[in-house]
Amino acid sequence: MSKDDSQVLTDPQRVDSILTLLEKTYPDAHCELNFSSPFELLIATMLSAQATDKKVNQVTEKLFLKYKTPEDFLTLTLSAMENAIKELGLYHNKAKNILSTCRILVEDYGSEVPDEMDALTQLPGVGRKTANVVLSNAFNVPALAVDTHVLRVSNRLGLASGTNPDMIEKQLKSLIPRSQWSQAHHWLIWHGRRICAARNPKCQVCPLTALCPSSSIPIRMPN
C-alpha cells in the first residue's frame, strides 16, 4: 500500500461505504453469547476469553440453569466453580475472577451489574472489551468492543492500525458515528468469523474487496 493509499483509508466516504456494505451483508448481526440478564452476559463474556461463543454457550446453558445471580454463584466453592467451567480455557483464573466479581457485586452494588465503564473495569477479570460488550448488549449504551476479530478485520480494512485493543477502539470510534458503534462491533465480528478469517480469508467472495487494501484481489479504489 502506498503513502497516498494510506491517506485515503480514513476518508469519510470510504468509511461510510464499508459500513453500508457490512450492514447490507450482516443485517441480523448480534451478540452470539446467550444470556437473559446483564449478570449472565457479564459471566458469559468473562468466560469467552480464548474460547468460542459456541463453547461458552454450551457451558452456560447448564451453568445458568442452577446459578442465575451473584448469590447463587457464591454458594460454589472455588473447586466447584472450576469444575463447572473446566471445558473452557483459563478456567482456573476465570473461576477465581468470577467468584471475586460476584462478591463485589453483592457487597457494593446490591447484586446488580453496574452500567458504567469505570465501575465495570474495576471488577476482577473485566477489561474494556468485556465492559464494552456488557454496556452495549445489556444496557444499550453505544460501545465498541475490540476482540481478535475486530482487531484483525479493522487492520486489514485500513480502518485502524496496530495491535493494542485500546488504541484500535479509539481509532474506530474516531471514524465510525457513535450511533453505529455497537452494530459496527457486531458487523466486524461476523465478517471476521464468516469471511475474513485469520487464515485463508475468503477474498474471492468478500463484498469489501474493492475497498480493502489487504485483499488478495487487486484493490480498486472508487472514483
Side-chain angles (χ1 to χ4, degrees):
M1 181 169 56
S2 71
K3 184 179 294 187
D4 288 341
D5 288 334
S6 66
Q7 294 173 350
V8 174
L9 298 184
T10 57
D11 177 74
Q13 185 176 356
R14 177 182 179 275
V15 174
D16 184 64
S17 295
I18 288 174
L19 295 175
T20 298
L21 284 170
L22 286 172
E23 181 177 20
K24 182 178 180 180
T25 306
Y26 309 107
D28 300 318
H30 60 273
C31 178
E32 295 186 282
L33 290 171
N34 296 333
F35 67 97
S36 61
S37 68
F39 175 69
E40 287 187 357
L41 179 58
L42 174 62
I43 298 302
T45 310
M46 293 175 71
L47 291 173
S48 69
Q50 295 188 25
T52 65
D53 287 357
K54 180 179 180 180
K55 190 62 180 178
V56 172
N57 288 336
Q58 291 173 352
V59 170
T60 58
E61 182 178 10
K62 294 177 287 186
L63 190 65
F64 293 158
L65 283 177
K66 293 183 178 180
Y67 310 102
K68 299 180 180 297
T69 66
E71 289 90 347
D72 291 339
F73 275 81
L74 290 176
T75 65
L76 291 166
T77 63
L78 178 58
S79 177
M81 184 73 241
E82 289 178 344
N83 189 61
I85 63 171
K86 64 182 179 182
E87 298 174 53
L88 302 172
L90 307 175
Y91 69 92
H92 291 296
N93 283 336
K94 290 176 181 178
K96 179 181 177 181
N97 287 333
I98 285 172
L99 291 181
S100 295
T101 285
C102 287
R103 191 167 293 108
I104 292 172
L105 292 179
V106 170
E107 294 176 354
D108 298 344
Y109 295 100
S111 299
E112 298 294 327
V113 175
D115 60 358
E116 297 179 351
M117 173 64 73
D118 289 345
L120 284 167
T121 53
Q122 291 300 310
L123 298 172
V126 178
R128 284 193 65 86
K129 186 203 83 171
T130 296
N132 275 321
V133 169
V134 172
L135 289 173
S136 174
N137 295 284
F139 298 111
N140 295 316
V141 174
L144 209 164
V146 177
D147 67 356
T148 56
H149 299 293
V150 173
L151 190 151
R152 178 180 70 256
V153 174
S154 60
N155 267 270
R156 285 179 175 173
L157 287 171
L159 295 175
S161 177
T163 59
N164 184 299
D166 291 350
M167 292 304 299
I168 297 296
E169 180 186 340
K170 290 180 181 179
Q171 292 174 51
L172 291 175
K173 284 182 173 180
S174 72
L175 295 177
I176 299 171
R178 189 172 188 271
S179 61
Q180 290 184 294
W181 285 355
S182 295
Q183 277 307 107
H185 159 75
H186 295 310
W187 295 333
L188 291 168
I189 287 180
W190 278 44
H191 191 61
R193 287 176 176 168
R194 289 155 175 79
I195 292 179
C196 196
R199 297 182 180 181
N200 302 316
K202 302 173 184 177
C203 297
Q204 296 294 337
V205 298
C206 180
L208 300 173
T209 295
L211 295 164
C212 182
S214 304
S215 173
S216 60
I217 301 172
I219 188 169
R220 301 184 304 278
M221 297 301 295
N223 295 326

